[in-house]
Amino acid sequence: MLLEYSFKNFCSFKEEATFSLSATESEIKKDFPDNYFRDRVDVLKSAVIVGENAGGKSNFVKSLQYIKAFFKENREVVSSSEYLTDEYTEDSSKMRYMDTAQKFSLSVLINGTVYFYNLEIDFLGIKFEELEVQKKNKSQRQKILVVDRTEVEPSLTDFVKSPKEFKFSTLKYEIQCIPFDKKDTVESEDFIGLFVSKYALMGVPEALAFSQWINNILIVESAIYEDTRLKGNYFQNLSDWRVMNYERFLDILRIIDPSIMEIKPNNRQPYQETIISRKNSAGKIFKVIYENKVLFADEMDRSFNPILADKIISLIPGNDHKGQFIFTTHNVLHLNLNNYMKEQIYFVTKNQETLQSEIYSLSEFPDVEYNSKVNLYEFYLRGVLGGTLSE
C-alpha cells in the first residue's frame, strides 16, 4: 500500500508537493474503522482530491504516470522541458534561471516492510537514486541501493546557446549496493535507465519487490493521457461521414459520454455494426477490492454520475482488502465528513499570479470540525478552503 508520495518541479508544481495516505493518530479514527487498513502502520484505503479547473489535479496524477513509465518502459531517465514548471524558452539568456532538476519520493508498505525510494533527475539524466527498507520490528532504515552522480555537470545555458556544438560529458556514478557488499563506479556517455530496475533484474530482492509494486500494483488513469493518445483517423474510409474525419468529433461525443475511447465504424452497415469502445472504470474498482491494486483515477466524474459514483466508492471501505482508491473530482458532494476523515480529503489550487499549483489536506484546517452544522462543501464553495476560482 502507498504510504506517502512527494514530487517537485513537475508541470505546475514548482515547490515540493506531498500526498500522504497514513491514517491519523487521533481518536477520531475510531469513528471510521473501515476507512483504513491496520498493519504495522494504519493506511488509508481511499482519498478524494478536488480543485478548480486547470488547478493542477491532472498534473498531480500525471506525475505518477511519469515516474511509473521509467519503470514500465525501462527507458532513459532524463527530465524534459515539457514537464518542468518553468515554461520552455528559446531565449538562452533566460535559460540559466530554468531549473531542470526534478525530485520524486515514494514510501510503500509491502508485506510488512516499508520501502523508501528517492529519485532526482535533470536534463543530463539521473542525479541521485536511493532505495531503503524498514523491516518489521526494526526502528532504523536499511540502505539497499545508493547512486550518486559525481560528474560536474555542464550548464543548460551552454546547451541552449549551441546545441550542435554541445557535447555531453561522460557521466560518472558511484554505486553502492549493500546486498552485494561492494561499491562500483559506472561511466556512461548516453542516457541510462533506473539503477533499481537493473538491480531488480540482477536478483536483489528489495529492488525486485519495489519494481514489481510500481509495475503491477500501482495503476494510474490520467485523463490527460487518455485524451491525447487517440491520434488515429478512424473514419478515413467513410466518404459520407466526412465530419468524423476529425479527432474533434470524438471530443464532442465525450461531452455526452466521457467513457467513449474509440469508434470503429463499419463501412457497409455503419449504424448496425459500428463498434464503440468504452472505458470500463468499474473493472478498475474490482482490481482495488479483490486484487489489492493502488488506483489513481483522474476525473472520475467523466465515467460515473454522482449517484453511481457514491455507490461504487462505498464498496472501498465496505470490504476487507489492501487496495487503495484515490480519485480527483469536481463533484463537491464527495466533500463529506460522514464518509471521510479529514486526512482523506485533499485540495489542489493554483496561484493566479505565479500559475503554480499546491496540494494540501483538509487536516491542515483545525477549525473545520466533524460535528459542524455547515456542510463541508459549503465551506469549499465559499472559497474558505481554497481550490476554487473565487480566490
Side-chain angles (χ1 to χ4, degrees):
M1 303 181 77
L2 178 66
L3 300 179
E4 187 173 283
Y5 169 61
S6 64
F7 63 102
K8 183 178 181 180
N9 195 17
F10 183 87
C11 290
S12 58
F13 289 88
K14 177 64 175 178
E15 302 302 324
E16 185 174 27
T18 300
F19 175 80
S20 174
L21 284 169
S22 296
T24 178
E25 296 298 327
S26 68
E27 291 295 320
I28 195 67
K29 186 166 58 176
K30 296 180 180 179
D31 296 336
F32 299 87
D34 296 328
N35 287 32
Y36 61 95
F37 180 81
R38 288 162 290 281
D39 202 310
R40 57 178 297 182
V41 292
D42 294 336
V43 193
L44 297 172
K45 290 183 178 181
S46 63
V48 53
I49 304 172
V50 298
E52 70 261 27
N53 287 328
K57 299 188 302 299
S58 293
N59 286 339
F60 167 74
V61 177
K62 189 177 178 181
S63 70
L64 276 163
Q65 197 161 34
Y66 180 73
I67 190 172
K68 180 181 172 71
F70 291 146
F71 284 83
K72 195 73 174 178
E73 302 169 11
N74 196 25
R75 66 181 188 184
E76 57 191 27
V77 181
V78 59
S79 63
S80 169
S81 59
E82 180 181 356
Y83 301 112
L84 296 173
T85 303
D86 302 274
E87 293 184 1
Y88 180 79
T89 173
E90 296 182 357
D91 186 351
S92 60
S93 64
K94 296 181 180 179
M95 290 301 289
R96 66 179 182 271
Y97 301 110
M98 186 175 183
D99 180 15
T100 68
Q102 296 177 307
K103 294 183 179 181
F104 304 90
S105 299
L106 296 99
S107 59
V108 180
L109 179 65
I110 306 175
N111 295 327
T113 297
V114 181
Y115 290 70
F116 303 89
Y117 179 72
N118 296 293
L119 176 67
E120 298 181 23
I121 63 176
D122 60 12
F123 83 112
L124 289 174
I126 298 173
K127 293 183 63 178
F128 177 78
E129 189 177 4
E130 179 184 56
L131 178 65
E132 297 179 308
V133 298
Q134 186 177 22
K135 297 183 178 180
K136 290 182 178 180
N137 303 322
K138 298 290 185 180
S139 59
Q140 294 183 343
R141 300 182 186 181
Q142 176 188 359
K143 290 186 182 296
I144 302 299
L145 176 67
V146 181
V147 179
D148 271 306
R149 191 173 73 202
T150 59
E151 179 79 4
V152 177
E153 308 92 348
S155 69
L156 183 60
T157 306
D158 296 335
F159 172 70
V160 174
K161 285 182 177 180
S162 53
K164 293 183 179 181
E165 300 177 3
F166 183 86
K167 294 183 179 180
F168 287 98
S169 301
T170 300
L171 301 179
K172 297 180 180 180
Y173 294 93
E174 288 186 356
I175 307 171
Q176 183 178 14
C177 185
I178 306 302
F180 288 171
D181 194 26
K182 65 176 183 178
K183 294 183 179 180
D184 291 322
T185 300
V186 174
E187 296 185 2
S188 176
E189 296 181 357
D190 301 315
F191 296 119
I192 56 179
L194 296 173
F195 286 92
V196 69
S197 297
K198 293 178 174 62
Y199 280 93
L201 294 174
M202 295 170 65
V204 177
E206 295 84 356
L208 180 60
F210 183 77
S211 297
Q212 288 180 337
W213 185 90
I214 291 285
N215 289 326
N216 302 325
I217 301 300
L218 179 64
I219 303 174
V220 187
E221 295 288 334
S222 172
I224 294 179
Y225 271 62
E226 290 172 356
D227 285 347
T228 57
R229 68 185 179 187
L230 297 177
K231 297 181 180 180
N233 181 357
Y234 305 109
F235 306 98
Q236 55 188 357
N237 297 323
L238 298 181
S239 57
D240 295 334
W241 290 13
R242 295 176 183 176
V243 67
M244 297 185 184
N245 281 322
Y246 298 98
E247 174 67 17
R248 289 173 291 181
F249 182 79
L250 279 177
D251 292 337
I252 296 174
L253 284 182
R254 292 191 191 109
I255 294 175
I256 304 170
D257 186 349
S259 67
I260 293 178
M261 299 300 297
E262 182 180 0
I263 297 179
K264 296 180 180 179
N266 183 288
N267 209 5
R268 296 181 178 179
Q269 294 182 302
Y271 296 104
Q272 290 81 13
E273 301 297 333
T274 291
I275 298 175
I276 299 178
S277 299
R278 288 184 170 88
K279 177 177 58 177
N280 184 1
S281 299
K284 303 298 183 182
I285 302 297
F286 179 92
K287 292 180 178 292
V288 172
I289 298 175
Y290 298 107
E291 297 180 5
N292 296 325
K293 303 294 186 181
V294 177
L295 170 61
F296 281 79
D298 191 17
E299 297 187 17
M300 188 182 65
D301 311 289
R302 294 160 56 91
S303 301
F304 300 114
N305 65 52
I307 297 177
L308 181 58
D310 284 340
K311 291 182 178 180
I312 290 179
I313 294 173
S314 67
L315 295 175
I316 302 297
N319 288 266
D320 185 18
H321 60 86
K322 294 184 180 179
Q324 293 168 293
F325 182 48
I326 302 94
F327 63 97
T328 69
T329 180
H330 292 291
N331 182 5
V332 297
L333 296 180
H334 289 301
L335 300 179
N336 189 326
L337 290 178
N338 292 321
N339 298 330
Y340 298 104
M341 288 184 281
K342 292 165 68 172
E343 288 76 12
Q344 293 178 272
I345 299 176
Y346 275 82
F347 302 95
V348 171
T349 189
K350 179 179 287 185
N351 186 295
Q352 299 302 309
E353 295 182 0
T354 65
L355 298 183
Q356 294 180 13
S357 301
E358 63 174 323
I359 184 170
Y360 51 90
S361 169
L362 179 62
S363 62
E364 298 182 25
F365 294 83
D367 294 336
V368 177
E369 301 179 352
Y370 283 91
N371 58 357
S372 174
K373 295 182 180 180
V374 180
N375 289 323
L376 181 59
Y377 62 81
E378 293 182 26
F379 281 120
Y380 174 70
L381 294 176
R382 294 175 187 173
V384 176
L385 304 175
T388 60
L389 292 176
S390 61
E391 62 179 359

